[in-house]
Amino acid sequence: MDIRQLRYFLAIAREGQITRAAKALNMEQPPLSRQLKLMEQELNVTLFDRNGNKLSLTHAGELLQRKAESLLQKFNETIQEVKELEEGMNGMLAIGSVVSCISLLPPRIERFRQIYPQVTFKILEGDHYLLGYHLEKRQIELVVARLPFESASETHPYSILPLPSDPFVTVLPSHWCPDPDKHSMDMLELANYPFLTLKTDKTTGLHEKVMNECRRHGFEPSVICECSSVAIIMALVEAGIGATVFPKSVMASFPLPNIKVLTIRDAAFQSDVGLLWLKDRYLSKSARHFIDIFSENQQYDN
């Protein structure tokens, strides 16, 4: 069995049909069918259950799929690493970020491109589960996110570069606070406002941190809306629907005219932020240098 046959097998597993897999591989169907038969004869197992034209993986096929994906990934990474020994810094760097951390990227990207102008970027925005999925599939190399990183993975440990913590601030409609000289408030004042909270079915870390701080001050906020989108919550605040508590850096991405941002006098709680990548996995030269931009004067786990 060779790399070429593994690619054929993965295409069949992905497409669920010999015909579609052959088309995706730009080859004829009979040679692909022969290659699959040769693989099954060599391994002395059945890799697919046949139900008409539809193919589904057997237990042996599922095991081979997992191993083949890992082997091909390492094979491709080895080729890329060898090429980079002689090549300069170029190509595309794919990174991910939660929307509440987007404001951390522009100054780093600007600085990076001053040094490495031939490198382009692909940026994916999403929640922890989506970003964790794309990170493990190697579709992105780095993620900027709130900590802890609430990914579904239990098999791929992460290396984490901690970034400066981000203090929480209160965000409310500006007409709720007409005093232009007011720049701070006590936590208990939030009990007077309808509250908007950032929460999904899978990611609750930031929500729980805010709720726990409210309870520590002796009240339960009147939550009128749970939302998975920072942008939607900011639009609701600007429309006068409710107030929220966000990490301060979020506001750099939403300079809206009809909101008021107040520091919190009696609650010095913060949001932890980090740059993450898969531990003990190959990183491109571009990714390593991008980490260096973030890690100046900081220590991180290799």
Side-chain angles (χ1 to χ4, degrees), residues 121-140:
F121 282 82
K122 177 181 179 181
I123 300 175
L124 175 69
E125 183 271 319
D127 65 15
H128 288 190
Y129 273 60
L130 178 65
L131 295 176
Y133 171 82
H134 286 293
L135 191 64
E136 288 164 22
K137 292 297 183 182
R138 307 296 286 160
Q139 294 164 350
I140 55 178

Side-chain angles (χ1 to χ4, degrees), residues 9-268:
F9 165 74
L10 288 176
I12 297 170
R14 183 174 58 250
E15 299 295 337
Q17 268 190 359
I18 296 286
T19 303
R20 287 205 299 262
K23 184 176 181 180
L25 292 165
N26 196 27
M27 64 186 295
E28 297 297 323
Q29 179 178 338
L32 184 58
S33 297
R34 285 196 297 272
Q35 290 297 325
L36 176 58
K37 185 176 181 179
L38 288 172
M39 291 178 68
E40 291 183 321
Q41 289 174 345
E42 179 181 349
L43 295 171
N44 196 29
V45 297
T46 300
L47 296 173
F48 293 94
D49 287 324
R50 278 79 170 172
N51 183 11
N53 291 329
K54 180 67 177 177
L55 300 179
S56 58
L57 289 166
T58 63
H59 290 308
E62 290 174 351
L63 174 61
L64 181 60
Q65 182 185 40
R66 291 195 300 271
K67 297 295 185 179
E69 287 176 343
S70 178
L71 284 170
L72 285 175
Q73 183 63 54
K74 290 183 182 298
F75 178 74
N76 293 334
E77 289 174 354
T78 299
I79 292 175
Q80 184 62 31
E81 188 170 2
V82 171
K83 286 182 177 180
E84 286 187 349
L85 287 175
E86 300 298 330
E87 293 178 353
M89 287 281 292
N90 53 39
M92 176 181 289
L93 175 58
I95 58 179
S97 177
V98 297
V99 69
S100 65
C101 292
I102 288 292
S103 64
L104 302 179
L105 289 178
R108 271 84 176 189
I109 291 176
E110 180 183 23
R111 186 170 182 180
F112 184 89
R113 283 187 48 75
Q114 288 173 352
I115 306 171
Y116 309 109
Q118 299 305 312
V119 177
T120 60
F121 282 82
K122 177 181 179 181
I123 300 175
L124 175 69
E125 183 271 319
D127 65 15
H128 288 190
Y129 273 60
L130 178 65
L131 295 176
Y133 171 82
H134 286 293
L135 191 64
E136 288 164 22
K137 292 297 183 182
R138 307 296 286 160
Q139 294 164 350
I140 55 178
E141 291 193 83
L142 305 170
V143 167
V144 183
R146 304 284 165 184
L147 302 178
F149 189 59
E150 300 174 272
S151 168
S153 174
E154 297 180 355
T155 59
H156 291 93
Y158 302 109
S159 290
I160 300 175
L161 168 62
L163 302 176
S165 296
D166 198 1
F168 281 94
V169 294
T170 299
V171 187
L172 63 159
S174 55
H175 67 271
W176 290 6
C177 183
D179 183 357
D181 296 323
K182 183 170 182 175
H183 303 291
S184 63
M185 63 179 288
D186 291 329
M187 194 73 186
L188 191 57
E189 293 181 56
L190 279 172
N192 301 320
Y193 300 123
F195 197 75
L196 313 170
T197 184
L198 185 68
K199 181 183 179 184
T200 73
D201 292 338
K202 297 178 179 179
T203 55
T204 61
L206 191 145
H207 164 83
E208 289 300 330
K209 181 169 285 191
V210 174
M211 294 298 106
N212 288 337
E213 189 65 22
C214 292
R215 291 166 190 145
R216 192 175 74 83
H217 283 79
F219 73 98
E220 192 75 23
S222 177
V223 177
I224 64 165
C225 180
E226 294 179 357
C227 184
S228 62
S229 167
V230 174
I232 292 175
I233 288 182
M234 293 302 296
L236 293 174
V237 173
E238 189 178 34
I241 305 299
T244 194
V245 171
F246 272 155
K248 185 177 181 179
S249 65
V250 174
M251 309 317 301
S253 300
F254 296 92
L256 302 174
N258 297 316
I259 63 171
K260 183 85 170 182
V261 180
L262 302 174
T263 60
I264 304 173
R265 287 189 291 262
D266 58 345

